[in-house]
Amino acid sequence: QVQLVESGGGSVQAGGSLSLSCAISTYSTRCMAWFRQTPGNEREAVASIDSTGRERYADSAKGRFTIAKDNAKNIVYLHMNSLKVEDSGVYYCARGPLCFAHMTPSNFHDWGQGTQVTVSS
């Protein structure tokens, strides 16, 4: 059973930056993604990266967020810049078989415990 452990969440003012990390217990060539969940809502995909390094982003994240993977360290990062209040939520790292557009949580089988990001105005 693979383990995913997120870190790096916290509180920041709007316009600031945060970087999240997801440590993966085993080397993975599968799709890695970051999801965000807010109270009362389903988790939504924010960014993903596949085994070829292809990146995909939600429209809300394009131009501000960058997903990256360090294969040597088995870590996936989410670098978030120009943060907005609406970026707040619990961010989850997830692993699934394939990356594609419009992914949903049901496409992923392995999840981290989540890390809280709070952006204040």
Side-chain angles (χ1 to χ4, degrees):
Q1 180 77 17
V2 67
Q3 291 185 327
L4 308 175
V5 180
E6 301 100 333
S7 60
S11 297
V12 65
Q13 287 194 323
S17 300
L18 274 178
S19 288
L20 307 181
S21 299
C22 173
I24 313 163
S25 60
T26 60
Y27 176 74
S28 176
T29 60
R30 299 187 183 184
C31 175
M32 298 300 302
W34 286 95
F35 282 74
R36 177 178 60 232
Q37 187 170 26
T38 54
N41 295 308
E42 188 180 62
R43 295 177 189 182
E44 58 177 1
V46 174
S48 68
I49 186 166
D50 67 17
S51 59
T52 70
R54 180 178 178 179
E55 302 164 27
R56 291 180 171 88
Y57 298 94
D59 288 342
S60 61
K62 288 178 182 176
R64 300 186 300 123
F65 292 8
T66 302
I67 188 170
K69 186 179 179 187
D70 186 330
N71 289 319
K73 296 181 179 179
N74 291 343
I75 297 177
V76 177
Y77 302 96
L78 183 67
H79 303 297
M80 304 183 291
N81 297 316
S82 302
L83 282 162
K84 305 176 181 179
V85 172
E86 51 265 40
D87 294 322
S88 298
V90 179
Y91 282 71
Y92 294 90
C93 177
R95 188 181 79 149
L98 289 172
C99 288
F100 50 91
H102 310 298
M103 296 176 296
T104 65
S106 63
N107 301 124
F108 291 80
H109 308 299
D110 301 306
W111 293 87
Q113 81 286 355
T115 185
Q116 177 72 45
V117 171
T118 303
V119 184
S120 58
S121 59

